[in-house]
């Protein structure tokens, strides 16, 4: 829709000559750019042992070093799926899992300007309460696309007020805040709300290590 990014859903299938197959369906990261990376990397799988996931991962990481790596992930996940299906076990078992359950958190979509859904600060707060009642241990806020620091800070405080101390609150502006100062402003609200974490705040896409370091120092004082 107008004012919102359009995403291309993409599906990846990796098959072996002995009949095994792994799949992955991309959603948020299923962009044309990511698909282009996947297509570029796919030939590097030919002749490889799909169980050598770590070695393949390292090799493809080098090939994709000039890009954001999103297309790399689709192939890696498909390989995990392939091996899990081959042996009839889940990824958790392959990683040595021992727990039967884990606390989970609800992660919202970005706020919307059109009526309905997460269209206001109050709607986010109401949805957080609903998620708490469904048993989620935390609630992660993805705000709006316009980078309005006042609304971003307000939604953090409103959600905390609505749920009290009964669940964790996490904040991810999706790199939509315009400046470092805007990020600091919202970060102060995160401190007041005792947010569990504050992620990807402003439009350097978190690539400025010094900027992130300074932001952390400021919020720690």
């Amino acid at each position: 829709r107008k004012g919102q990014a359009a995403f291309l859903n993409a599906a990846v299938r990796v098959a072996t000559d002995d009949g095994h197959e792994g799949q992955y369906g991309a959603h948020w990261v299923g962009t044309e750019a990511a698909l282009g990376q996947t297509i570029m990397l796919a030939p590097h799988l030919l002749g490889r042992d799909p169980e050598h996931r770590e070695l393949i991962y390292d090799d493809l990481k080098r090939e994709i070093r000039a890009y954001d790596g999103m297309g790399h992930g689709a192939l890696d996940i498909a390989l995990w799926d392939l091996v899990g299906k081959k042996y009839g076990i889940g990824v958790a078992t392959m990683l040595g899992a021992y727990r039967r359950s884990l606390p989970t958190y609800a992660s919202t979509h970005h706020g919307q300007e059109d009526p309905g859904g997460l269209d206001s600060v109050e709607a986010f707060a109401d949805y957080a309460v609903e998620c708490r009642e469904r048993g989620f241990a935390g609630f992660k806020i993805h705000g709006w696309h316009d980078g309005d620091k006042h609304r971003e800070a307000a939604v953090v405080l409103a959600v905390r007020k609505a749920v009290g101390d009964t669940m964790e609150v996490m904040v991810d502006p999706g790199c939509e805040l315009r400046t470092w100062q805007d990020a600091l402003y919202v970060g102060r609200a995160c401190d007041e709300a005792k947010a569990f974490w504050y992620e990807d705040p402003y439009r350097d896409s978190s690539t400025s290590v010094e900027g992130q370091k300074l932001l952390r120092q400021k919020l720690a004082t």
Side-chain angles (χ1 to χ4, degrees), residues 67-91:
Y67 304 91
D68 62 13
M70 291 294 186
H72 180 192
L75 292 173
D76 184 56
I77 295 170
L79 289 175
W80 280 90
D81 184 56
L82 186 153
V83 176
K85 290 175 178 175
K86 178 178 179 179
Y87 293 104
I89 57 177
V91 171

Side-chain angles (χ1 to χ4, degrees), residues 30 75 82 85 94 110 113 116 120 124 186 198 214 218:
L75 292 173
L82 186 153
K85 290 175 178 175
M94 286 192 280
H110 278 284
E113 304 296 347
S120 67
F124 271 93
V186 177
Y198 183 30
L214 181 59
K218 283 289 186 180

Side-chain angles (χ1 to χ4, degrees), residues 23-116:
Q23 300 174 339
Y24 174 66
H27 40 91
W28 183 78
V29 298
T31 63
E32 292 182 3
L35 179 60
Q37 294 172 40
T38 301
I39 293 172
M40 180 181 71
L41 290 172
H44 292 275
L45 297 181
L46 296 176
R48 305 293 296 266
D49 185 336
E51 297 194 30
H52 295 171
R53 294 183 306 280
E54 184 173 358
L55 179 59
I56 292 171
Y57 184 89
D58 284 342
D59 288 346
L60 296 191
K61 183 171 63 176
R62 180 185 179 280
E63 293 294 331
I64 206 75
R65 65 191 184 280
Y67 304 91
D68 62 13
M70 291 294 186
H72 180 192
L75 292 173
D76 184 56
I77 295 170
L79 289 175
W80 280 90
D81 184 56
L82 186 153
V83 176
K85 290 175 178 175
K86 178 178 179 179
Y87 293 104
I89 57 177
V91 171
T93 301
M94 286 192 280
L95 292 173
Y98 62 93
R99 296 177 178 175
R100 294 294 182 182
S101 64
L102 288 170
T104 59
Y105 66 86
S107 182
T108 75
H109 203 279
H110 278 284
Q112 62 191 72
E113 304 296 347
D114 297 335

